[in-house]
């Protein structure tokens, strides 16, 4: 695909589309502040954020990214006011229904990381259906983290592994990182190369704790509903300018 030039001059953003990260993960943060700045209810920020997610996910597929993972709802987000939780779940339902309707056209493979048992049966069924139908697609895989927490994921993996040890299916003396990774929600998915967090917050917030060991980070003050393809280009260009050593020299 070659290089992308946003414009000439000091703001030129150069992305080498032949050297994209394989996996980008995004904390979709700043929806509430975006709404507040406009005097709107927080749910309006989430609605705008859901549209940006759709644009960015489609774009990631178009440029040939292999994996996109987004943090949509954390294990801690249940503490939010019920109407806000309901609004986010409503947006997810709307998105999934539309995604199912357009699946043959978009051919995006979708997966969910998180404990879906706390979702309504309707939403849970929609998640399972989306995942099942899209299994056969081979392009970009979009992972939506829903009722997801990195620590919770690791604890669940440890429990499942301990059970396998107890029942003779695994041997703790031979546990490797690769084997343990197979117990995580992300099994089979390569670790993220680039983690993007908009909105100016400089923390990971329990996102992909195990998988982020060697990820590169890109932080920007832009609020998620204002996030654009150009901002994604900036993040990728920044990533491409780095020297990843994975602990070596
Ligand atoms: C964080 O911003 C955002 C969330 C907790 C929800 C993200 C949900 C969506 C974008 C909509 C549904 C998603 C999909 C995949 C259709 P915040 O509310 O913490 O913002 P703030 O820090 O400014 O308050």
């Amino acid at each position: 695909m070659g290089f992308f030039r946003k414009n000439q001059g000091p703001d030129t953003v150069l992305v080498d589309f032949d050297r994209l990260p394989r996996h980008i993960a995004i904390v979709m943060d700043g929806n509430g502040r975006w709404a507040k700045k406009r005097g709107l209810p927080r749910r309006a920020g989430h609605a705008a954020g859901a549209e940006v997610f759709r644009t960015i996910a489609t774009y990631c597929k178009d440029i040939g990214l292999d994996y996109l993972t987004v943090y949509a709802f954390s294990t801690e987000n249940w503490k939010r006011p019920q109407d806000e939780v309901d609004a986010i779940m409503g947006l997810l339902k709307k998105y999934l229904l539309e995604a199912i309707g357009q699946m043959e056209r978009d051919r995006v493979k979708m997966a969910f990381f998180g404990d879906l048992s706390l979702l309504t049966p309707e939403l849970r069924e929609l998640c399972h259906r989306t995942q099942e139908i899209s299994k056969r697609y081979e392009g970009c895989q979009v992972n939506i983290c829903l009722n997801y927490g990195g620590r919770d994921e690791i604890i669940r993996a440890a429990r499942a592994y301990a059970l396998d040890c107890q029942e003779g299916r695994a041997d703790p003396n031979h546990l490797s990182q690769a084997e343990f990774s197979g117990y995580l929600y992300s099994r089979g998915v390569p670790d993220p190369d680039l983690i993007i967090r908009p909105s100016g917050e400089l923390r990971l917030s329990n996102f992909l704790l195990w998988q982020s060991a060697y990820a590169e980070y890109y932080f920007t003050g832009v609020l998620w509903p204002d996030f654009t393809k150009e901002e994604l280009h900036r993040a990728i260009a920044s990533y491409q300018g780095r020297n990843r050593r994975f602990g070596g020299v």
Side-chain angles (χ1 to χ4, degrees):
M1 200 170 181
F3 284 89
F4 167 83
R5 276 187 178 72
K6 178 175 168 267
N7 53 32
Q8 303 301 321
D11 290 339
T12 299
V13 178
L14 283 180
V15 171
D16 180 351
F17 286 98
D18 296 324
R19 233 169 27 87
L20 288 177
R22 220 179 147 203
H23 182 175
I24 296 179
I26 306 180
V27 180
M28 303 187 290
D29 197 14
N31 298 346
R33 277 164 283 168
W34 182 92
K36 192 169 178 204
K37 268 182 23 188
R38 287 162 177 77
L40 297 169
R42 291 177 61 83
R43 63 174 183 279
H46 296 310
E51 284 311 312
V52 171
F53 160 72
R54 188 197 303 275
T55 304
I56 294 296
T58 306
Y59 185 63
C60 284
K61 186 203 88 175
D62 292 346
I63 60 175
L65 190 80
D66 287 341
Y67 297 93
L68 173 71
T69 300
V70 293
Y71 208 178
F73 196 85
S74 77
T75 43
E76 287 70 40
N77 286 152
W78 297 107
K79 291 184 225 156
R80 296 188 174 211
Q82 192 58 43
D83 65 330
E84 184 173 344
V85 171
D86 292 344
I88 296 173
M89 296 300 162
L91 287 164
L92 280 159
K93 178 178 155 187
K94 179 169 173 274
Y95 175 78
L96 293 178
L97 282 171
E98 285 165 9
I100 289 172
Q102 299 169 352
M103 235 159 208
E104 270 308 312
R105 188 196 71 191
D106 294 345
R107 305 186 76 77
V108 170
K109 187 170 183 167
M110 293 187 55
F112 298 87
F113 295 174
D115 174 13
L116 304 187
S117 72
L118 291 190
L119 306 181
T120 61
E122 187 191 19
L123 192 52
R124 200 164 54 235
E125 196 275 324
L126 274 176
C127 293
H128 286 142
R129 188 141 49 102
T130 321
Q131 193 158 313
E132 264 323 293
I133 305 176
S134 68
K135 252 185 190 151
R136 62 179 190 272
Y137 302 141
E138 279 175 1
C140 185
Q141 173 168 330
V142 175
N143 306 304
I144 299 184
C145 295
L146 249 185
N147 191 25
Y148 172 89
R151 287 187 171 183
D152 182 63
E153 178 183 36
I154 293 169
I155 293 275
R156 281 165 189 275
R159 272 199 217 118
Y161 179 70
L163 191 67
D164 277 355
C165 288
Q166 238 172 26
E167 298 184 355
R169 289 187 293 268
D171 172 1
N173 295 310
H174 295 106
L175 178 62
S176 65
Q177 295 184 18
E179 187 182 1
F180 191 72
S181 297
Y183 286 84
L184 300 170
Y185 292 125
S186 58
R187 66 188 72 89
V189 173
D191 288 344
D193 302 295
L194 170 64
I195 297 183
I196 299 173
R197 181 158 193 164
S199 94
E201 306 296 353
L202 306 179
R203 55 180 174 263
L204 202 48
S205 300
N206 208 9
F207 187 43
L208 302 177
L209 293 184
W210 171 277
Q211 300 86 341
S212 61
Y214 285 102
E216 296 292 328
Y217 291 88
Y218 179 82
F219 294 107
T220 167
V222 170
L223 303 173
W224 175 248
D226 291 328
F227 196 89
T228 55
K229 293 175 193 171
E230 285 68 34
E231 197 55 41
L232 182 70
H233 291 156
R234 274 185 210 105
I236 298 174
S238 163
Y239 166 86
Q240 289 178 335
R242 301 182 198 178
N243 177 14
R244 297 182 82 193
R245 292 189 297 277
F246 298 94
V249 286

